[in-house]
Amino acid sequence: KSEHIDVAYVSDFARTRATAAEILRFHPDTVAKYSRLLRERNTGIFRGKPSEDFTKAREYSGLSQVDFRPEGGESMRDAQERVMTFYEKVAKRHQGQSVLFVSHGMVMTSLLLALMHRPFEEYMQFRFENTGVTIIEREDSGDHTLHVLNSTEHLDDNMDLAKTAAQ
């Protein structure tokens, strides 16, 4: 609530749009821009199928989780490249502004790894959780500082409000 947000970029999927709407209630002057480039990794022929099918196919391929590209889909590296390209355009367009991204765990974790120059092997250390807030500052030099990772303090406030309303 208390963070200043100049512009919001949101995945065009319904659940991210709903999350963004909850956040932007507190920022009525902030414009939301929806983009398919912030979508979660495209799992191609496995979209909408049980995750076990995807896992079995990846294991059968002999490729790592990072490099496996299902038919019609993208690898984690592909998704990282997609979101980094998008991020660089947004960063150039909004220099000196506070930008909110509302997206999905894998693509946001991949973006953070790229910004912090960290390998995919450190994925679990930087993994985005649902509804977690992460704050990254882009320096004029193009380097990044990670200030907050996966904070859920805002949920505690909402839980207290829900308890009060129920009483």
Side-chain angles (χ1 to χ4, degrees):
K1 293 180 205 179
S2 63
E3 291 293 325
H4 173 77
I5 301 170
D6 291 302
V7 63
Y9 284 89
V10 182
S11 163
D12 62 347
F13 283 168
R15 68 185 176 131
T16 47
R17 291 172 77 96
T19 299
E22 281 300 307
I23 296 166
L24 296 177
R25 290 188 308 130
F26 302 100
H27 306 275
D29 296 330
T30 301
V31 174
K33 299 179 181 198
Y34 303 96
S35 176
R36 61 185 308 130
L37 296 172
L38 287 174
R39 287 181 177 179
E40 187 60 285
R41 174 186 182 183
N42 179 354
T43 55
I45 62 172
F46 297 101
R47 183 164 182 177
K49 295 185 178 172
S51 61
E52 297 82 33
D53 293 355
F54 179 89
T55 301
K56 285 178 187 174
R58 186 199 54 79
E59 289 171 354
Y60 182 76
S61 76
L63 295 171
S64 71
Q65 189 149 341
V66 174
D67 294 315
F68 176 63
R69 181 185 298 122
E71 183 181 327
E74 61 188 346
S75 69
M76 288 175 76
R77 288 187 202 283
D78 295 336
Q80 183 184 55
E81 185 176 319
R82 168 177 45 90
V83 75
M84 269 302 295
T85 299
F86 181 74
Y87 170 82
E88 289 299 335
K89 289 178 184 175
V90 169
K92 186 180 282 189
R93 186 177 302 138
H94 298 286
Q95 288 181 2
Q97 293 184 307
S98 180
V99 179
L100 170 70
F101 281 87
V102 181
S103 187
H104 309 274
M106 196 290 303
V107 292
M108 295 312 303
T109 302
S110 297
L111 174 62
L112 178 60
L113 290 172
L115 295 178
M116 303 306 292
H117 307 288
R118 310 302 279 192
F120 271 107
E121 289 76 24
E122 295 182 21
Y123 185 91
M124 293 309 287
Q125 291 173 260
F126 292 93
R127 184 172 181 257
F128 275 56
E129 299 292 338
N130 288 341
T131 71
V133 173
T134 296
I135 300 175
I136 305 165
E137 181 179 2
R138 181 182 173 108
E139 311 291 339
D140 290 340
S141 65
D143 291 331
H144 296 82
T145 302
L146 178 61
H147 292 285
V148 176
L149 178 64
N150 286 325
S151 172
T152 56
E153 290 178 20
H154 59 286
L155 297 179
D156 295 336
D157 290 344
N158 288 337
M159 295 244 197
D160 291 342
L161 288 173
K163 285 180 190 173
T164 302
Q167 294 173 351

